[in-house]
Amino acid sequence: MKKILINFAHPARARSHINNALRAAVEDLEGITINDLYFRYPDFLIDVQREQALCEEHDILIFQHPFYWYSTPAILKEWFDLVLQHDWAFGHKGKALEGKIALQALTGGGDDSTYQPDGYNEFTIGELTSPFQATAKLCKMAWLPPFTVLGIHRGLPEGQVTTHAEDYRRALISLRDGTLNLGQVAGMPYLNSDLNSVIRRDG
Ligand SMILES: Cc1cc2nc3c(=O)[nH]c(=O)nc-3n(C[C@H](O)[C@H](O)[C@H](O)COP(=O)(O)O)c2cc1C
């Protein structure tokens, strides 16, 4: 069983609906650690040694956050800037993250049709999250397309929120237990584009 670290970043958890729902769906799972960055570092003073040790103790690193200005909430940028040190995460001697899996779990107000070349936002989620993909590659990690919940501005019916939360739980269990077809997922826009087809039957 692989160990999963969720670096959770929401600056206003009291007002969060979707990220709270996703988080609540996986919090009790064995092998999963939730590291709430805004809760732990309200002053942004990130304990680099603690964060690096957490990364080293886990096999899969998930960065869960709302999509803010086509990117992440600020503390995640700070986390990347400070924690991914030369000769630890990258560079000739930087092998601490080698072979681990990196995944973004993001929620966005715009729906999928707005994240198309001819859509309102013009760029795809894949294009907008490419710095994360490039970072994972530089750190010798295996990158997976993001788990996404989109179209929140439209007002997701509660049933759909529950379905997304259940899918998040299924996705994390299959990642943890090695029953997700990683090769097949890599060719999809989102990890949850078609979850049923990428989770093996024994998972
Ligand atoms: C500061 C800010 C910036 C945002 N930027 C985007 C954006 O670039 N694209 C998008 O689709 N939604 C954007 N949104 C909408 C949030 O992504 C959405 O409200 C959030 O994912 C809902 O999740 P929650 O219920 O956990 O807060 C933004 C919201 C805020 C507050």
Side-chain angles (χ1 to χ4, degrees):
M1 193 169 81
K2 294 198 171 76
K3 289 182 72 183
I4 298 180
L5 175 67
I6 299 179
N7 283 320
F8 181 92
H10 197 305
R13 252 201 95 194
R15 291 198 300 274
S16 162
H17 178 37
I18 311 299
N19 279 281
N20 274 344
L22 296 182
R23 175 173 163 167
V26 300
E27 241 163 359
D28 66 325
L29 286 175
E30 195 188 342
I32 292 188
T33 306
I34 298 197
N35 184 30
D36 188 330
L37 295 176
Y38 277 100
F39 177 77
R40 186 160 283 273
Y41 305 116
D43 50 10
F44 272 51
L45 294 174
I46 290 178
D47 180 343
V48 173
Q49 278 191 339
R50 173 186 182 273
E51 296 302 313
Q52 290 183 343
L54 270 176
C55 290
E56 288 171 9
E57 286 160 19
H58 293 79
D59 310 294
I60 298 171
L61 308 186
I62 296 180
F63 298 85
Q64 185 191 329
H65 62 88
F67 211 32
Y68 277 6
W69 290 110
Y70 306 108
S71 182
T72 68
I75 205 164
L76 267 181
K77 181 64 166 62
E78 184 77 349
W79 189 97
F80 280 100
D81 290 353
L82 297 183
V83 177
L84 301 184
Q85 287 176 332
H86 183 247
D87 280 349
W88 180 78
F90 68 100
H92 184 59
K93 287 185 267 174
K95 296 192 172 161
L97 303 178
E98 188 169 11
K100 296 183 191 289
I101 289 176
L103 171 70
Q104 241 172 323
L106 64 87
T107 64
D111 65 27
D112 186 57
S113 70
T114 70
Y115 286 106
Q116 302 300 332
D118 59 353
Y120 183 75
N121 291 308
E122 296 187 12
F123 297 94
T124 65
I125 294 284
E127 288 166 334
L128 294 166
T129 58
S130 58
F132 178 83
Q133 183 177 4
T135 301
K137 178 178 168 282
L138 190 74
C139 298
K140 308 169 190 76
M141 300 179 78
W143 169 90
L144 291 177
F147 181 99
T148 57
V149 179
L150 298 174
I152 293 164
H153 284 335
R154 265 188 290 114
L156 288 186
E158 209 41 44
Q160 275 187 38
V161 176
T162 305
T163 303
H164 285 303
E166 286 169 359
D167 283 352
Y168 193 45
R169 184 178 173 92
R170 285 172 65 212
L172 265 56
I173 289 173
S174 63
L175 270 170
R176 182 196 67 185
D177 296 346
T179 54
L180 194 77
N181 187 332
L182 298 180
Q184 207 178 334
V185 164
M188 294 181 160
Y190 308 129
L191 183 132
N192 51 332
S193 292
D194 185 4
L195 215 45
N196 286 334
S197 77
V198 293
I199 296 180
R200 288 206 315 267
R201 278 190 198 288
D202 55 328

